[in-house]
Amino acid sequence: MFRNALSRTATVAGGTKLLAVEGIADVTPSCLNSMLDQRRWATKRQGGSTKNSKDSHPKYLGLKKFGSEWVIPGNIIIRQRGTEFHPGDWVGMGKDHTIFALVEGQVRFSYNKIKDRRSVHVDPGKMPPKKIRPWFRKQGKHFVLPKPPPSPSIAQTKET
């Protein structure tokens, strides 16, 4: 609106320049700049910043084999940061403090009161515990007892 309007400038005492625009009283250039100031509104709403948006991948630390479990050489027993558990008999430790089995055997945990440290051992040569088959079977959601063997009939018992 003001750019196409006719305007004149005049110098007043003290060196202040005045700008006269048609239809508007005399104003200083700084005041005119604020009047001519254009506002630009955002076309998209700005999203707020977040501080807790980064997440690391899971490390899957902890016990992998428990006490009295059967292990073979190379099985990882514990993944840990630092030496929360120390290696004992027939157990090795990797550079990231992973404890693994060196021989086939059963895992055993122990605690040394004097050194105040927990350690992991593998007892070699012990056979793995046998799986005990349940004497009942599962049918759907329920456990069902097996059918008893047929009892001999009266005729069969008289023959023998």
Side-chain angles (χ1 to χ4, degrees), residues 3-160:
R3 293 185 184 200
N4 294 334
L6 296 172
S7 61
R8 328 172 245 154
T9 55
T11 308
V12 187
T16 307
K17 286 192 173 183
L18 295 177
L19 184 65
V21 180
E22 241 179 58
I24 298 179
D26 293 339
V27 290
T28 59
S30 63
C31 184
L32 183 64
N33 284 343
S34 65
M35 286 194 312
L36 295 177
D37 190 25
Q38 295 180 357
R39 304 242 179 227
R40 179 173 172 157
W41 303 103
T43 54
K44 284 191 177 182
R45 184 164 180 187
Q46 182 178 355
S49 63
T50 59
K51 294 181 179 179
N52 198 16
S53 62
K54 295 178 185 176
D55 196 11
S56 62
H57 297 292
K59 304 302 177 206
Y60 303 108
L61 301 175
L63 290 170
K64 307 302 175 191
K65 298 287 184 180
F66 297 94
S68 74
E69 274 194 69
W70 189 257
V71 291
I72 59 173
N75 274 145
I76 293 175
I77 301 170
I78 299 175
R79 299 220 16 152
Q80 60 186 351
R81 293 287 174 260
T83 52
E84 190 174 331
F85 289 89
H86 292 266
D89 302 331
W90 301 107
V91 170
M93 187 163 68
K95 65 180 182 178
D96 63 344
H97 301 105
T98 297
I99 293 179
F100 57 92
L102 296 174
V103 295
E104 189 173 1
Q106 266 187 327
V107 177
R108 179 174 51 91
F109 291 90
S110 66
Y111 178 71
N112 189 340
K113 290 181 182 178
I114 297 168
K115 292 184 178 180
D116 189 33
R117 78 171 40 166
R118 294 183 285 184
S119 55
V120 184
H121 310 275
V122 172
D123 297 330
K126 292 185 179 177
M127 293 300 294
K130 293 182 179 178
K131 289 186 178 179
I132 301 171
R133 289 186 128 183
W135 51 275
F136 50 85
R137 60 188 171 85
K138 192 169 183 182
Q139 183 177 2
K141 294 181 181 178
H142 308 288
F143 290 99
V144 180
L145 294 173
K147 293 179 181 176
S151 60
S153 64
I154 298 171
Q156 289 176 347
T157 55
K158 287 183 180 178
E159 291 175 6
T160 56

